[in-house]
Amino acid sequence: MTNIPTHHHPVRLRRSVLSVPASNARALEKSRTLACDAIIFDLEDSVLPEKKADARAALIAHFAAAGRPTGQEWVIRINPFSGEHGLLDLEAVLACAPDAVLLPKVCGPRDILDAGDWLAERGADDGPRLWAMIETAASILNISAIAEVGRTLGGRLDCFVVGLNDLRSETGIADLEGRPYLIPLLMQVVVAARASGLDVLDSVYNDFANAEAFVRECEQGRQMGFDGKMLIHPAQIAGANDAFGISESEAAAALVIVSAFEAPENAGKGVINIRGRMVERLHADQALRLLAKADLIAQKETQE
Ligand code: COA
Ligand code: MG
């Protein structure tokens, strides 16, 4: 068999990914103190056109100042590559050297290939990874072709972020608790991401004062298979870290599976019986990834 989907991307913690408007000095300063796994510094929707230039300058200064916590990914969301701000944003990206660039309003594979080519032409081969906002109706229709870009460009594309504010406004799909009409779309995004070994983050939840409904939506996202959630407010970080984290019982169960397959009596077996449950070798691979993530969480907690 060829082309078995492999998880060629390393395990990274992306439970809580906070959006910080680059035009908001107070929020930029505050972001230094927050325990989110990643930060998306936004130059797009949250920044007015007349503030874009100042926002770029503020980001360059912010990235140049010391004090980036180890292990926390720093991502810059640029404006559409085709518009008047996109290229200026990419120049700022070269000056900042973030871990990744988040491309907004992606419609098809070409949007990602274009950004990858632009970076490659400037010699940024080891430069930023690419993340893609999945927030247009076209991106849902083209989701498998977009995900396949994750197998090219040296694996530069490694994460999808669903954007329901744009998707709902373009499509008219209702904003309801439990997201009934969105579930089929969200599941396509998760499956396409996995087919190319990409991470995938659930959309923001706007009503940041409603902590209970937020936690319910995090739990739903976890059950759908998302790795984490894009956030808009610091009050959402703890809930997302918890919902997309790994409980002690999950880690213990994973360890049982890994040790069982390592036991000499199970060498050469593809499937075994663990306390009345069928467990296959694929579960051991899944368990290893889960334990790697649990290790990253433990490392992070000792740093805090
Ligand atoms: N990142 C960092 N800090 C933030 C923050 C964020 N996204 N949102 C709020 N804060 C800070 C505030 O600056 C304030 O800090 P302070 O204690 O130093 O004054 C504190 O958290 C409490 O904020 P609060 O007063 O509850 O909210 P607010 O009225 O200042 O801001 C929003 C509310 C929605 C405007 C703000 O949260 C925001 O801009 N979120 C991100 C929006 C965004 O990125 N959109 C694009 C992606 S959808
Ligand atoms: Mg958007």
Side-chain angles (χ1 to χ4, degrees):
M1 249 205 308
T2 55
N3 283 337
I4 300 167
T6 50
H7 289 95
H8 49 278
H9 296 276
V11 175
R12 292 195 171 86
L13 271 192
R14 290 169 174 163
R15 299 166 298 172
S16 53
V17 178
L18 179 67
S19 176
V20 179
S23 54
N24 181 340
R26 199 165 176 130
L28 276 181
E29 210 35 57
K30 177 101 175 176
S31 73
R32 291 199 177 279
T33 66
L34 301 172
C36 45
D37 290 338
I39 297 179
I40 295 170
F41 297 97
D42 188 28
L43 291 170
E44 199 222 3
D45 282 344
S46 70
V47 180
L48 290 174
E50 60 271 26
K51 299 247 172 86
K52 303 268 190 205
D54 286 350
R56 282 190 285 269
L59 267 197
I60 292 171
H62 189 78
F63 273 73
R68 179 154 153 192
T70 30
Q72 188 179 60
E73 271 184 297
W74 280 18
V75 182
I76 296 179
R77 185 165 81 167
I78 64 168
N79 287 280
F81 196 52
S82 52
E84 61 174 309
H85 295 290
L87 281 175
L88 295 169
D89 292 349
L90 275 174
E91 299 286 352
V93 161
L94 290 185
C96 291
D99 298 296
V101 183
L102 173 55
L103 304 172
K105 301 188 175 65
V106 165
C107 288
R110 191 158 284 268
D111 295 320
I112 297 167
L113 295 169
D114 284 348
D117 286 350
W118 192 95
L119 290 167
E121 278 160 21
R122 272 138 199 96
D125 277 340
D126 300 322
R129 292 186 286 279
L130 294 172
W131 291 17
M133 290 298 304
I134 302 301
E135 58 184 348
T136 64
S139 68
I140 302 289
L141 292 176
N142 296 327
I143 194 67
S144 53
I146 296 169
E148 288 201 343
V149 176
R151 307 240 198 133
T152 63
L153 294 175
R156 187 162 223 160
L157 172 69
D158 86 337
C159 190
F160 282 163
V161 185
V162 177
L164 291 182
N165 285 325
D166 278 277
L167 190 65
R168 277 188 299 243
S169 93
E170 185 184 354
T171 59
I173 299 174
D175 186 1
L176 300 175
E177 165 111 30
R179 304 186 284 184
Y181 302 109
L182 288 163
I183 290 172
L185 281 55
L186 294 169
M187 291 315 306
Q188 285 187 63
V189 179
V190 171
V191 171
R194 297 309 182 211
S196 290
L198 307 179
D199 278 351
V200 58
L201 306 180
D202 199 358
S203 176
V204 297
Y205 182 75
N206 297 330
D207 190 1
F208 62 82
N210 191 344
E212 277 145 38
F214 170 72
V215 166
R216 282 197 293 278
E217 194 169 284
C218 284
E219 282 164 0
Q220 184 198 36
R222 170 81 191 256
Q223 288 169 6
M224 287 176 177
F226 285 102
D227 295 289
K229 197 163 175 67
M230 183 170 170
L231 309 177
I232 50 163
H233 193 279
Q236 297 180 321
I237 295 170
N241 281 347
D242 200 40
F244 293 97
I246 291 160
S247 68
E248 273 173 39
S249 61
E250 281 174 298
L255 207 53
V256 168
I257 293 173
V258 171
S259 336
F261 276 107
E262 278 169 359
E265 64 270 28
N266 290 327
K269 286 191 193 164
V271 57
I272 56 177
N273 168 352
I274 300 182
R275 299 179 196 143
R277 258 184 109 88
M278 176 189 78
V279 179
E280 297 177 300
R281 278 215 182 252
L282 64 98
H283 294 116
D285 297 340
Q286 194 187 357
L288 279 172
R289 272 185 84 80
L290 187 140
L291 290 171
K293 224 177 229 194
D295 274 351
L296 290 176
I297 294 171
Q299 273 172 37
K300 187 173 170 190
E301 280 166 2
T302 54
Q303 274 169 30
E304 275 158 16

